[in-house]
Amino acid sequence: MYNFEFAKPKTVEEAASAMAAEGAQALGGGQTLLPTMKQRLASPEVLVSMTGIESMVGVAVRGDTLTIGGATTHAQVAADAADLYPGLAALAANIGDPAVRNRGTIGGSLANNDPAACYPAGALGSGATITTNTRDIAADDYFQGMFETALDEDEIITSVSFPIPEKANYQKFDQPASRFALVGVFVAKTADGVRVAVTGASNEGVYRWTEAETALSASFSEGALESMSGNLDDMIADLHGSASYRAHLVGVLTRRAVAACG
Amino acid sequence: MPTITMNVNGTAVSANVENRTVLSAALREELGLTGTHIGCDTSQCGACVVHVNGKAVKACTMFAVEANGADVDTIEGQAHVDGSLNVIQQAFQDHHGLQCGFCTPGMIMSAAALLKENPKPTEAEVRDYLEGNICRCTGYQGIVNAIMAASGQTPAIAAE
């Protein structure tokens, strides 16, 4: 990998000024960025580590909202959110493997927006708000396609706020080699209706499956989905699974998630 | 080059590293601690697992500068001071938890992290925890048996 300048600020303000440098990039746990840099697919001139900013680490609940600091690891979310938002904690507990979960962060995952990552489904399915050093972005506006987000180049995800739903569950069909989702579905039942977010399946990245949301908002049951499956036109097809296989999994996993909500 | 200081296996050490140097390379090449193995160098195989501030991490996928000031524990620090094997290492020997030995440092460090969090894991929990540690010799049963034995439990399936 190419060398780079390294900054490890203690505050969001220091991080924001470090990010203003030409060629600067934020570094969370590095579980995606390091392998990418080793392959020279990324070569930032300055890496700004977020892991030394204490105010960006931790899980807090206020009212019906769970707020997670942008530099909080998956392992910490899995542990600290287990009683507060079990559906989301379970998602975090099944990302990658234990060592990856001890480094990887929610902010890093959401900033990267890998089309097969778990957190985008959790954030979009929950209707979360992504808070940066400059603004709040609704999840519905944040995810803009494969590896594309609403973030500006020098913007930092400082925290993510999740309205805690009545019930939620994430079903992940593992791609066993990468431990990413071949398909993953997050279902959240709230007082305002049901949200269904799908990762791993679409060429457009994470998306809301609105047909299923409508059906489940009318009747929150597996039967409401009957034999529904994902829209074939949007599906990723690769050596791990054909478009029709992924479309089928979208239906199956959504039904499993509803069943698991109880 | 930046100078980093770490507390490695209980001893304060310092090393000059480039910003791009990963922790596995710093341990092996700067500190001579070659027990941490580099298998895939892409965070898939787990041969490089060490503990940073008590947490298992893949040393190939963490910059050494990020470990500045941290407590780092490697396989070299696992045996007792007199050189005798610790309970996990001894169980790996007793239960055929290794063959070629390449994955073993990472397996031992992952096992140690698991048993610290969960002193009496089920066999399923052991297998789940080893998701990020790949062994191409044993078929895993000996490794799982060893970790079950190290936790003071009888392995469900006796090794041949």
Side-chain angles (χ1 to χ4, degrees):
Chain A
M1 108 179 46
Y2 295 110
N3 210 1
F4 50 85
E5 296 295 315
F6 180 74
K8 191 161 183 174
K10 296 261 186 239
T11 66
V12 174
E13 292 70 28
E14 285 173 27
S17 60
M19 287 289 287
E22 180 76 21
Q25 184 163 357
L27 172 67
Q31 300 304 285
T32 295
L33 186 54
L34 263 81
T36 308
M37 289 172 65
K38 286 180 182 180
Q39 292 180 294
R40 296 186 173 176
L41 295 172
S43 50
E45 290 168 48
V46 182
L47 273 189
V48 182
S49 170
M50 300 294 145
T51 56
I53 304 172
E54 276 183 32
S55 66
M56 279 174 53
V57 176
V59 175
V61 72
R62 186 179 302 157
D64 295 330
T65 302
L66 181 80
T67 300
I68 301 173
T72 311
T73 63
H74 311 323
Q76 187 172 352
V77 173
D80 292 357
D83 297 331
L84 304 168
Y85 188 171
L88 188 72
L91 174 150
N94 204 26
I95 296 172
D97 62 54
V100 167
R101 292 195 287 273
N102 280 334
R103 290 292 302 163
T105 65
I106 186 171
S109 174
L110 292 176
N112 190 45
N113 192 20
D114 188 294
C118 298
Y119 261 129
L124 186 62
S126 300
T129 299
I130 290 93
T131 299
T132 74
N133 55 317
T134 57
R135 59 184 168 148
D136 292 333
I137 311 170
D140 285 322
D141 302 323
Y142 176 84
F143 299 103
Q144 301 190 344
M146 203 176 267
F147 298 111
E148 295 290 333
T149 72
L151 291 177
D152 292 330
E153 271 189 18
D154 58 353
E155 209 167 352
I156 299 163
I157 297 176
T158 53
S159 66
V160 187
S161 295
F162 295 81
I164 300 172
E166 293 168 11
K167 295 174 177 177
N169 185 262
Y170 178 62
Q171 291 287 321
K172 175 183 181 183
F173 196 93
D174 288 46
Q175 203 280 68
S178 71
R179 296 182 286 272
F180 275 86
L182 186 67
V183 173
V185 178
F186 194 94
V187 173
K189 182 177 186 297
T190 74
D192 300 329
V194 177
R195 292 174 69 102
V196 178
V198 180
T199 190
S202 169
N203 286 308
E204 301 301 316
V206 68
Y207 69 96
R208 284 175 68 186
W209 188 19
T210 48
E211 293 90 341
E213 291 183 353
T214 305
L216 289 169
S217 294
S219 165
F220 192 72
S221 66
E222 285 177 85
L225 299 171
E226 289 184 356
S227 57
M228 285 171 69
S229 59
N231 185 348
L232 203 54
D233 296 340
D234 299 331
M235 294 289 129
I236 297 170
D238 59 21
L239 77 169
H240 305 299
S242 64
S244 59
Y245 183 57
R246 281 190 166 84
H248 177 70
L249 278 179
V250 169
V252 170
L253 295 175
T254 307
R255 284 188 286 278
R256 285 185 189 171
V258 171
C261 280
Chain B
M1 283 195 290
T3 301
I4 58 167
T5 59
M6 302 181 286
N7 194 355
V8 178
N9 299 323
T11 304
V13 295
S14 61
N16 295 319
V17 295
E18 290 187 294
N19 288 330
R20 63 178 167 179
T21 302
V22 291
L23 180 58
S24 52
L27 291 169
R28 291 174 57 86
E29 292 162 25
E30 303 301 325
L31 301 173
L33 296 172
T34 55
T36 297
H37 288 173
I38 299 171
C40 66
D41 206 21
T42 57
S43 78
Q44 303 288 314
C45 79
C48 68
V49 169
V50 301
H51 298 181
V52 174
N53 292 331
K55 305 279 189 193
V57 305
K58 290 179 168 172
C60 77
T61 308
M62 176 175 181
F63 291 117
V65 286
E66 285 279 58
N68 190 21
D71 292 336
V72 179
D73 293 299
T74 72
I75 188 68
E76 284 89 349
Q78 291 297 294
H80 299 301
V81 262
D82 66 0
S84 62
L85 301 180
N86 79 5
V87 64
I88 299 172
Q89 292 172 308
Q90 188 61 52
F92 269 65
Q93 188 177 80
D94 295 343
H95 292 270
H96 196 76
L98 67 151
Q99 185 173 323
C100 86
F102 194 87
C103 73
T104 311
M107 288 287 180
I108 300 273
M109 297 311 289
S110 281
L114 166 65
L115 296 183
K116 195 168 70 175
E117 276 176 34
N118 183 358
K120 297 280 182 200
T122 63
E123 185 172 324
E125 287 170 339
V126 172
R127 289 182 184 278
D128 188 53
Y129 200 88
L130 295 181
E131 196 170 23
N133 291 81
I134 294 174
C135 172
R136 298 289 76 155
C137 300
T138 64
Y140 301 98
Q141 189 62 50
I143 293 169
V144 174
N145 287 347
I147 296 171
M148 294 300 283
S151 70
Q153 304 180 94
T154 309
I157 303 170
E160 292 295 319

